[in-house]
């Protein structure tokens, strides 16, 4: 494990920490069976039955995995 050779000043530490910013995820809005659904682009989405139980994962209209 790397160990710093010298102590990092408070100013440098805070400057380094403040450079990282969280970004808002880009959501895609789709309407399915009269319900508005927001999902992340290029990610598999969960297909649920009428009770809300997860059935399988779907990507680009194809079944890719069991849930």
């Amino acid at each position: 494990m790397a160990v710093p050779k010298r102590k990092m000043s408070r100013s440098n530490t805070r400057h380094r920490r403040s450079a990282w910013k969280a970004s808002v995820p880009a959501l895609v809005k789709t309407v399915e069976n009269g319900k508005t659904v927001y999902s992340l682009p290029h990610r598999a989405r969960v297909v649920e039955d009428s009770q809300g139980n997860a059935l399988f994962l779907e990507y680009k209209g194809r079944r890719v995995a069991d849930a």
Side-chain angles (χ1 to χ4, degrees), residues 6-66:
R6 297 178 190 270
K7 181 178 179 179
M8 186 179 246
S9 70
R10 181 179 292 172
S11 174
N12 284 346
T13 300
R14 289 179 177 167
H15 181 71
R16 176 179 45 84
R17 287 180 181 163
S18 68
W20 185 86
K21 298 283 188 280
S23 61
V24 178
L27 296 176
V28 176
K29 178 181 174 181
T30 56
V31 178
E32 298 174 2
N33 301 328
K35 276 178 40 177
T36 303
V37 179
Y38 294 94
S39 60
L40 293 168
H42 302 291
R43 304 258 175 109
R45 67 178 192 89
V46 178
V47 177
E48 300 174 337
D49 59 4
S50 59
Q51 285 85 24
N53 299 328
L55 298 175
F56 57 89
L57 292 173
E58 179 182 68
Y59 183 72
K60 291 188 178 178
R62 288 185 235 159
R63 185 179 182 158
V64 292
D66 293 326

